Amino acid sequence: MCKELKTRVLRLSAQSSGEQQEWTEILSATVKALKAGQVVAVPTDTIYGLACVAQHSAAVRRVYDIKGRNGDNPLAICVGDVQDIYRFCKVSVKEELLRDLLPGPVTLVLERSSTLNGDLNPFTKVGFSYSPYT
């Protein structure tokens, strides 16, 4: 069971006169929360997802706790640049293929490198997706 969550909800109003200021404030608060090891919820095209910094062990454990998962049920990683994939896993395909597939509606499952946080998916390979907006 999840423990009591302490949350802060930031949302953009539908008709905002200061939209740029709201976006700046929300993005700033989100970056600050992520750097502090917190977990944030982000809207996707279908549902809300949970996000944290993959290299922050306590945050990763918090995501597992919130989702009621253990290390056998993996989490995917979203990177902001195709080159980031090379930091966290052993790439077994040509870079041209990566660039053809990404960004796109795909998740690549690759073998982890020693650089990737050992608390993230400790018993499985790692799924990567890429978003230029990350």
Side-chain angles (χ1 to χ4, degrees):
M1 292 306 272
C2 286
K3 298 173 185 154
E4 180 181 336
L5 300 177
K6 296 177 183 175
T7 60
R8 178 178 176 203
V9 177
L10 302 172
R11 70 178 70 171
L12 292 170
S13 57
Q15 297 178 347
S16 169
S17 59
E19 188 174 311
Q20 181 66 36
Q21 183 178 353
E22 280 186 278
W23 272 106
T24 301
E25 182 181 331
I26 289 171
L27 290 173
S28 176
T30 302
V31 168
K32 183 178 178 181
L34 290 169
K35 286 182 176 180
Q38 296 176 347
V39 175
V40 299
V42 292
T44 71
D45 57 340
T46 54
I47 61 171
Y48 278 83
L50 297 177
C52 72
V53 174
Q55 294 297 85
H56 195 292
S57 292
V60 169
R61 286 191 296 271
R62 184 75 179 123
V63 171
Y64 280 125
D65 183 47
I66 292 168
K67 291 176 130 313
R69 290 186 181 183
N70 62 29
D72 293 324
N73 194 347
L75 303 171
I77 297 172
C78 185
V79 295
D81 189 288
V82 171
Q83 290 300 316
D84 291 336
I85 295 173
Y86 290 91
R87 285 185 22 214
F88 299 118
C89 71
K90 299 173 184 174
V91 178
S92 55
V93 298
K94 293 183 179 182
E95 184 169 347
E96 296 148 354
L97 180 59
L98 289 179
R99 297 216 178 264
D100 285 344
L101 293 171
L102 303 171
V106 297
T107 298
L108 304 172
V109 179
L110 301 166
E111 188 177 337
R112 67 186 308 114
S113 75
S114 60
T115 306
L116 184 62
N117 180 354
D119 291 325
L120 180 73
N121 303 342
F123 308 115
T124 64
K125 292 185 177 182
V126 180
F128 286 90
S129 61
Y130 159 69
S131 171
Y133 307 110
T134 303

